[in-house]
Amino acid sequence: ALAPRCRWVLPGLEQRLAVPAVLSPATARPYAAAAKTAKKDVKRTRQEKVKEKPRPRRRLLMASPVDDVYLTWLYRRPSYELEEAVGMLKKFQELDFTSPKQFVYINVYLDMALQKKKKVDPFSSSVTLPHRFTDEVNKVLVFTENEQEVAVAREHGAAIVGGVELIKWILEDEIQADFYVAVPAIIPKLIPLRNKLKRKYPTTRRNSLGSDIPKMLQFFRECHAYTVEDENIIKTRIARLDMPTEHIIANLKTIIHDICTFKPSNFDPIVRRLVIRSSTSEGLLLNLDGILPQVEKVEEKEEKNGVDEDQQKPVQDSVST
């Protein structure tokens, strides 16, 4: 088209060279659309193949092993009665020559489901155990501006007592306590601490807001606190291994009964699985029969009463006639 030596251009070619050609992506890369559709087809075929493949069936676990040595993953995990499990923990301690004063722990696996997609929110609670297993005393802070109440709080073992002046120190983490209690008169002034204290914020539902300061101090200084971790697990210690078996059982049942109050009784029990262990032993799965509180179904009783009344009515009518 061009003659470099003569430096002349054919007529009409100059205009064509001056206007740049606008090409669409499809015309520039005619095979791009075909490649994309081919990739999609490959993905679809792969997904269809995955769906067509039958899922590998999980092998059914056997009930109990015959030999002393066996593969644990082939058998169901054995469950023990509470008294039997505590006795086994004590035997483990004797055979391992570990400390008899080690703590006993429980792992409680919860069923937080309610109707439809609703569920129980993670919670924390405090309970007084029937048998104390440690001499540790919780650090309790009391909010009050009354001089007489300040004196009463200090007399009954409050670690820190004060009013609004404590808010700044708490927000700056200069003051920390295990529990916070308050009298009703000062609670409107403590609103800035709501987000900071969260579950420890004084409320009547947790019995940390009231006028009876000695009673609140006695409870929170000696109570046992636990909280839900990872949305559905509670890990807490309940006793010492050298305590009598009946004391360990009483402490465990007290905590379990308190946990069961956080889910309505008309749903499935909130405790799904319970494991007990000591500081140096393996975990033992417990049989929940006899541990969970027995809830009487009121609806069934009412229905039975209604049936009895219906059966008695014809008899009364026949007598009257």
Side-chain angles (χ1 to χ4, degrees):
L2 296 175
R5 294 183 180 180
C6 301
R7 297 181 181 178
W8 57 269
V9 182
L10 294 176
L13 185 60
E14 185 177 1
Q15 294 179 357
R16 295 180 184 178
L17 293 175
V19 180
V22 180
L23 300 176
S24 63
T27 56
R29 293 183 296 172
Y31 300 102
K36 287 183 180 179
T37 53
K39 288 181 180 179
K40 290 181 180 179
D41 294 338
V42 171
K43 288 182 180 179
R44 288 175 184 173
T45 53
R46 287 177 181 175
Q47 291 175 357
E48 290 175 358
K49 288 180 180 179
V50 171
K51 290 181 180 179
E52 290 176 359
K53 287 183 179 180
R55 292 184 179 180
R57 293 183 179 179
R58 187 174 181 180
R59 186 173 181 177
L60 296 177
L61 299 178
M62 292 178 279
S64 59
V66 180
D67 301 325
D68 295 336
V69 181
Y70 59 92
L71 297 174
T72 56
W73 56 271
L74 288 176
Y75 297 88
R76 297 174 186 173
R77 186 175 182 179
S79 61
Y80 304 93
E81 299 297 329
L82 180 54
E83 188 173 355
E84 179 187 5
V86 175
M88 292 175 65
L89 294 181
K90 291 180 178 289
K91 287 183 181 178
F92 294 159
Q93 178 270 321
E94 294 176 358
L95 294 173
D96 296 338
F97 297 99
T98 54
S99 173
K101 294 186 178 181
Q102 59 185 294
F103 291 113
V104 178
Y105 298 84
I106 57 172
N107 293 354
V108 189
Y109 300 86
L110 307 177
D111 179 11
M112 310 285 275
L114 294 174
Q115 289 181 348
K116 297 181 179 179
K117 295 183 179 180
K118 296 182 180 179
K119 63 179 182 178
V120 180
D121 295 329
F123 55 87
S124 60
S125 181
S126 303
V127 62
T128 301
L129 297 179
H131 305 283
R132 295 198 65 198
F133 58 90
T134 178
D135 296 331
E136 298 176 1
V137 178
N138 298 319
K139 186 178 179 181
V140 185
L141 184 149
V142 179
F143 288 107
T144 181
E145 294 178 331
N146 189 313
E147 295 181 359
Q148 294 180 354
E149 292 176 344
V150 169
V152 171
R154 289 175 178 170
E155 182 181 353
H156 286 81
I160 303 171
V161 186
V164 183
E165 69 276 2
L166 298 178
I167 295 178
K168 178 183 177 182
W169 302 106
I170 295 173
L171 292 174
E172 295 178 356
D173 293 328
E174 295 291 336
I175 294 178
Q176 293 181 352
D178 297 320
F179 296 98
Y180 301 82
V181 300
V183 295
I186 198 175
I187 198 66
K189 302 178 182 178
L190 302 180
I191 294 178
L193 294 175
R194 186 183 293 274
N195 293 332
K196 179 67 176 179
L197 299 182
K198 296 180 180 178
R199 294 179 183 176
K200 293 184 178 181
Y201 187 79
T203 59
T204 53
R205 185 169 58 87
R206 297 188 181 93
N207 299 320
S208 56
L209 176 62
S211 302
D212 195 345
I213 295 177
K215 183 178 179 180
M216 291 189 295
L217 282 173
Q218 182 181 2
F219 174 76
F220 285 106
R221 289 180 78 245
E222 300 179 357
C223 71
H224 178 75
Y226 64 87
T227 185
V228 176
E229 304 174 7
D230 300 329
E231 296 186 355
N232 65 340
I233 302 175
I234 295 176
K235 300 178 182 180
T236 184
R237 57 186 185 181
I238 61 170
R240 273 197 334 265
L241 195 57
D242 60 344
M243 293 173 59
T245 301
E246 56 270 17
H247 291 185
I248 298 175
I249 294 175
N251 284 358
L252 183 144
K253 288 186 176 181
T254 300
I255 295 175
I256 295 299
H257 287 202
D258 188 70
I259 293 172
C260 291
T261 60
F262 286 88
K263 188 175 183 180
S265 58
N266 55 342
F267 291 94
D268 294 333
I270 190 171
V271 178
R272 185 182 62 190
R273 200 154 55 100
L274 179 59
V275 177
I276 188 171
R277 65 176 181 85
S278 66
S279 301
T280 59
S281 74
E282 62 177 304
L284 301 176
L285 182 65
L286 295 178
N287 186 357
L288 296 178
D289 295 337
I291 298 178
L292 300 182
Q294 295 180 354
V295 180
E296 297 181 358
K297 295 183 179 180
V298 182
E299 295 180 358
E300 292 183 358
K301 283 189 173 183
E302 290 179 353
E303 290 179 359
K304 288 181 180 179
N305 293 336
V307 171
D308 294 339
E309 290 178 359
D310 293 339
Q311 291 176 353
Q312 291 176 0
K313 281 183 182 179
V315 176
Q316 293 175 357
D317 294 340
S318 60
V319 171
S320 60
T321 54

